[in-house]
Amino acid sequence: MRCTEIADLIDLHLDGALAEEPQARVARHLMGCAACAFEVRTLEQTRSHLREALPAVESSPSFREKMIARLNHDLADVLRPEPIQSESQWSLPFPRENAG
Ligand SMILES: [Zn+2]
């Protein structure tokens, strides 16, 4: 994994939002790359300072929805999969006899 890819994933890494596999790859990279490890430490510190300095701001639901939709679209392959919600994923909507 390259440093530029790590930079894209650092935020998710800090949020614990990465799936196991990319999370492991990020962790492996950080062990061997001082520059990225430093970047992560800096970001972590910045975030905790921001949390202390700023009052909690609620983002509007529509903003959050848009962000989530964008993130799901951009990062579908690295985010944790959503739990399957469909009750009947194995049953077919039509009888098979008409197929063909
Ligand atoms: Zn790196």
Side-chain angles (χ1 to χ4, degrees):
M1 197 175 248
R2 287 185 205 144
C3 294
T4 51
E5 293 175 84
I6 298 294
D8 287 341
L9 297 179
I10 280 178
D11 270 317
L12 295 167
H13 166 72
L14 290 177
D15 285 340
L18 287 175
E20 241 175 76
E21 204 263 348
Q23 171 71 37
R25 287 205 312 229
V26 170
R28 245 199 325 271
H29 181 95
L30 292 178
M31 277 193 272
C33 181
C36 287
F38 177 78
E39 185 80 3
V40 167
R41 265 204 307 276
T42 310
L43 256 176
E44 252 176 341
Q45 279 167 9
T46 309
R47 282 180 163 218
S48 65
H49 287 320
L50 279 176
R51 265 199 296 273
E52 286 162 23
L54 293 174
V57 178
E58 275 290 306
S59 53
S60 75
S62 67
F63 174 79
R64 251 175 307 184
E65 257 169 48
K66 269 184 235 164
M67 281 303 292
I68 289 167
R70 221 195 85 193
L71 282 174
N72 281 341
H73 179 261
D74 289 354
L75 301 164
D77 51 340
V78 294
L79 289 173
R80 284 186 188 151
E82 292 287 316
I84 294 163
Q85 294 193 351
S86 156
E87 315 146 358
S88 57
Q89 64 164 321
W90 301 114
S91 65
L92 293 165
F94 304 108
R96 296 198 76 146
E97 60 212 50
N98 292 331

